[in-house]
Amino acid sequence: MVRRVSIFGSTGSIGRSAFDVIRHAIETGTAEFEIEALAAGQDVEKLAEQARVLRPRIVVVADESRLDELTARLAGTGIEVAAGAAALNEAATRPCDRVLAAIVGAAGLESTLAAICAGNDVAIANKESIVCGGPLMLQEAKKSGARVLPVDSEHSAIFQSLGDGKQLEQLTITASGGPFRTWTLEQMERATPGQAAAHPIWSMGIKNSIDSASLMNKALEFIEAAVLFDVPASEIDVLVHPQSIIHGMAHFSDGSVIAQLGTPDMKTPIAYALGWPDRIPTSVTRLNLAQISRLEFTEVDENRFPSIRLARQAMNAGPGARVILNCANEAAVSAFVAEKCGFLDIARAVEAALERFSSSNFASSKCETLEEIAELSRYGHFLASDWLSNAPSRAGG
């Protein structure tokens, strides 16, 4: 069977891993793929390189100023070239078996929703889209018949472990603990962006790496699990598991716990999402439990890592608060990367934004339209930036 796939965010870490999965399958003859669309933000050199290998029907760059360069790089290939947000959305609607949605941040929501409304199955690697617009996405998927399949390793693990989901008691997602797992608050107060981005296990982009250091990535994944699997937040737990071998677990009423294990390599969940309900062979290192010999688990220290607590707070406050949590974090991470605030100020800014949001006119927002979500996104960025600019005694450390 030939699988027709589109990859949005193809030059990022998830997109590059998907490229490797597809190229390996084609070269080994274990699966057949046709690429409908490749899309990326502005890395036209990498985008063109991928296009020359995978031969998609269309290539889109979000940054319209890079269109001429992309066109020149793909001259003579016969590949259609386009640029801008409207082109991204149009490409997402083109019929295919699966759209891999891997554009980082809330910016990926619009094209993901366009794909769903068109009836395309979406392999969702953009947790921020689920956090900000999950109910809207699932509502539109129900109308169009599209399926939303998880790509994050934790949600892929749960998806594989759930079975029919009957008599489920609890879900557990795991966190590696990131580079600051054993650091004190005093050490984290002085952490640099380079230290925060140096993940000990996973290879990710800088934003996701810093989210891992603060455990905000796990907070977003906590919300994603609640939305995707329609499970109350009170029935989802997060454990720190530094080996990153068990990615997620489903607990059932008879005492059984079903877990998915694998080496920490995103090519495995990507391949599962692209091939589902079949499996696509990959080149990932095979798991050797005897060699690993030990698996450790601890509870999250919410004094050092308040992100999970903030996620629970946002879940209880409603869909608008989830948008604020995500977008305030995006603004604070950007400030940290620019060395305009300290590492611990990220969580402080998010908490301050949630508190201010709770007494605002936006607090009852239902997030039922893209316009409403976009307005809340801007507000979340403003709240975090405003707090950071008015907290000089703590920011900039």
Side-chain angles (χ1 to χ4, degrees):
M1 181 184 75
V2 178
R3 295 169 175 83
R4 181 176 293 184
V5 172
S6 293
I7 305 174
F8 283 68
S10 69
T11 62
S13 61
I14 295 294
R16 293 184 188 211
S17 290
F19 175 86
D20 290 342
V21 167
I22 292 170
R23 183 173 60 179
H24 175 78
I26 292 172
E27 289 176 350
T28 58
T30 52
E32 293 184 78
F33 284 94
E34 290 181 358
I35 308 303
E36 181 64 33
L38 291 179
Q42 58 181 13
D43 187 353
V44 295
E45 181 178 358
K46 187 65 179 179
L47 185 58
E49 178 187 322
Q50 292 175 332
R52 286 182 174 275
V53 174
L54 296 183
R55 310 295 298 183
R57 289 177 172 82
I58 184 171
V59 174
V60 184
V61 61
D63 185 347
E64 294 185 54
S65 70
R66 310 301 296 273
L67 176 60
D68 289 345
E69 183 183 351
L70 180 61
T71 301
R73 288 180 179 274
L74 292 177
T77 62
I79 298 171
E80 184 181 350
V81 177
L88 282 173
N89 294 341
E90 190 280 327
T93 66
R94 297 189 177 200
C96 63
D97 298 308
R98 206 125 311 156
V99 174
L100 177 61
I103 296 175
V104 175
L109 176 57
E110 190 172 352
S111 58
T112 302
L113 190 62
I116 289 171
C117 290
N120 287 327
D121 288 353
V122 168
I124 185 78
N126 180 320
K127 62 179 72 69
E128 294 89 350
S129 289
I130 293 287
V131 170
C132 292
L136 177 60
M137 288 170 54
L138 295 180
Q139 173 186 310
E140 293 300 327
K142 188 174 182 180
K143 290 180 185 177
S144 69
R147 287 169 291 201
V148 179
L149 302 168
V151 171
D152 272 336
S153 60
E154 297 79 9
H155 306 88
S156 177
I158 290 170
F159 184 53
Q160 295 180 61
S161 301
L162 267 177
D164 60 15
K166 292 180 180 178
Q167 297 183 300
L168 179 72
E169 282 190 343
Q170 181 181 318
L171 298 177
T172 297
I173 59 176
T174 61
S176 69
F180 300 153
R181 179 173 60 89
T182 61
W183 284 37
T184 66
L185 281 169
E186 291 74 18
Q187 289 173 311
M188 287 191 284
E189 191 80 67
R190 299 188 297 272
T192 67
Q195 290 171 318
H199 198 284
I201 295 176
W202 294 96
S203 175
M204 302 176 287
I206 188 166
K207 196 270 182 181
N208 285 337
S209 295
I210 291 172
D211 281 351
S212 181
S214 68
L215 261 64
M216 183 56 76
N217 72 321
K218 215 51 54 177
L220 298 175
E221 288 166 6
F222 171 90
I223 295 172
E224 183 181 1
V227 174
L228 277 181
F229 302 113
D230 194 22
V231 173
S234 59
E235 295 176 9
I236 303 174
D237 191 22
V238 179
L239 289 176
V240 175
H241 170 45
Q243 291 82 17
S244 294
I245 297 300
I246 293 180
H247 304 291
M249 295 174 262
H251 306 246
F252 296 93
S253 60
D254 63 354
S256 296
V257 180
I258 310 298
Q260 186 266 346
L261 288 73
T263 52
D265 191 322
M266 282 304 299
K267 288 193 282 291
T268 296
I270 290 168
Y272 189 71
L274 293 181
W276 184 87
D278 301 318
R279 291 185 183 270
I280 298 171
T282 71
S283 60
V284 303
T285 302
R286 281 5 187 199
L287 187 62
N288 186 329
L289 287 174
Q291 188 177 57
I292 295 165
S293 78
R294 182 176 181 179
L295 300 177
E296 302 167 279
F297 302 91
T298 59
E299 294 183 346
V300 175
D301 180 350
E302 293 190 357
N303 183 45
R304 291 185 300 133
F305 301 101
S307 297
I308 306 301
R309 172 177 59 81
L310 296 176
R312 292 187 185 279
Q313 179 182 328
M315 281 298 298
N316 291 335
R322 301 172 210 164
V323 180
I324 298 299
L325 173 104
N326 175 73
C327 295
N329 176 67
E330 287 184 357
V333 168
S334 293
F336 174 62
V337 171
E339 300 184 346
K340 294 180 179 179
C341 74
F343 177 74
L344 295 182
D345 291 319
I346 297 173
R348 291 168 181 154
V350 172
E351 185 161 21
L354 285 172
E355 289 175 0
R356 190 167 165 187
F357 168 76
S358 66
S359 59
S360 73
N361 294 331
F362 293 101
S364 60
S365 297
K366 302 297 183 184
C367 299
E368 295 175 335
T369 66
L370 275 176
E371 293 74 21
E372 189 177 0
I373 293 169
E375 187 174 21
L376 279 174
S377 297
R378 291 189 292 270
Y379 188 48
H381 279 88
F382 163 76
L383 289 176
S385 299
D386 187 60
W387 183 87
L388 289 169
S389 65
N390 288 290
S393 62
R394 286 185 286 180

